[in-house]
Each structure stands twice: as C-alpha cells, then as structure tokens.
Amino acid sequence: MIPTPEDGPEAATVTVRPYGNPLPLGFFSFGIGMVLLAGVSLGLLTGDQVRPVGILLAVFVFPLEFLAAVMAFLTRDTAAAAALGLFATSWAALGVLHIVAPAQQTSIALGMYLSAFALMLLPLAVTAFMGKALLGAVLSVSTMRAALAAAYQLGAPHQLELA
C-alpha cells in the first residue's frame, strides 16, 4: 500500500525483502564436514592430521552451519533452523575435541553426546519428510551415522564406526 496525504502522518510503507534459502549453504558445509569426519573415522587422517581436521570443523564448517541456522530462523523454517543449529554446534564441539585430544580413540562422554544428538535428530528427520524430502533423507542418514558412532564410542566393535 502506498501512503497518500489523506492517510496522515502515521501511515508507513512496509517493504518486505525475502531472505534467500539457507539450506544450500547448510548442505554444502555439512558435506565438507562429513568428508573430514569420514577421513578420521576411516583412518585416512590420523596422527598430526586430526588436529587440522578439528580446526577446519571449528573455523570453517561451524560458522557456515551457524549462519545457515540463523537465516533459517529468520525465514521461519523452524525444522531446518533446529537441525542446522544442532549441526552447527556439533561441528564446533567435535572440532574442539579433535583439537584438544587428537589421539583419543574412544570416549564415553562423546558416546553419550552422540547418542543424545542422534535421539534429537530422529524427530527432526521424521517431520522433515512431511515437507522437505531431501532434508529428511540427510537427517535420517545423519541420525544413523551419529547412532553408529555413539555405539563405537561406548564400546561397540570398530566396524560400527566404519559403517
């Protein structure tokens, strides 16, 4: 609505500029983070290479996922915002763990964290299938990966980590 002089001094013009979809940024940074984690899990990145993985997770993947989460909240995409927010902080947490303790093989604390993370992703994955099938698929695979990694951290055979 364009204000006219008859509208009086209290009339205002509101211009809405839509935000861009944050999911591509979230998916691409997620993919890079998963490649780095897979490299560590598969033993391709070991020893002195684990700390740089942690740094990359904390300073590259985390900020991009966090930005995507904020943008998703601004676009009122609650499910995507929740998932991106959970992933953003998980990248920061895993990055710091790789920086601080690069040689640590298993951790009950990390196993408990990954279990809770997988449990929180599950309802997001189920609801995402109702409107965004790709997001639902990514969240389903992520839930399974987190659950398998949690099992390994809690004492299951190494094959579960490789899965």
Side-chain angles (χ1 to χ4, degrees):
M1 173 179 146
I2 299 174
T4 63
E6 296 85 37
D7 294 331
E10 297 171 8
T13 300
V14 176
T15 304
V16 178
R17 297 176 193 245
Y19 292 104
N21 186 345
L23 288 178
L25 177 63
F27 282 144
F28 291 136
S29 57
F30 173 86
I32 293 168
M34 290 307 293
V35 167
L36 292 170
L37 283 183
V40 172
S41 295
L42 294 171
L44 301 172
L45 300 169
T46 60
D48 293 342
Q49 294 301 308
V50 175
R51 188 168 279 126
V53 167
I55 293 168
L56 288 168
L57 292 176
V59 302
F60 178 79
V61 180
F62 161 71
L64 293 177
E65 286 281 328
F66 184 73
L67 175 61
V70 169
M71 295 303 294
F73 276 113
L74 292 174
T75 62
R76 293 182 165 90
D77 189 346
T78 308
L84 290 165
L86 283 172
F87 277 109
T89 53
S90 76
W91 295 120
L94 293 174
V96 169
L97 283 175
H98 285 322
I99 293 168
V100 173
Q104 186 171 1
Q105 295 299 312
T106 60
S107 163
I108 293 175
L110 180 56
M112 292 176 68
Y113 164 76
L114 289 170
S115 296
F117 185 73
L119 190 61
M120 296 304 113
L121 286 181
L122 189 58
L124 288 172
V126 170
T127 56
F129 276 112
M130 292 181 204
K132 293 184 171 127
L134 180 59
L135 180 59
V138 168
L139 290 174
S140 296
V141 171
S142 299
T143 301
M144 183 62 71
R145 187 207 103 26
L148 292 172
Y152 168 70
Q153 291 293 326
L154 293 171
H158 182 67
Q159 288 77 10
L160 286 183
E161 183 186 35
L162 296 177

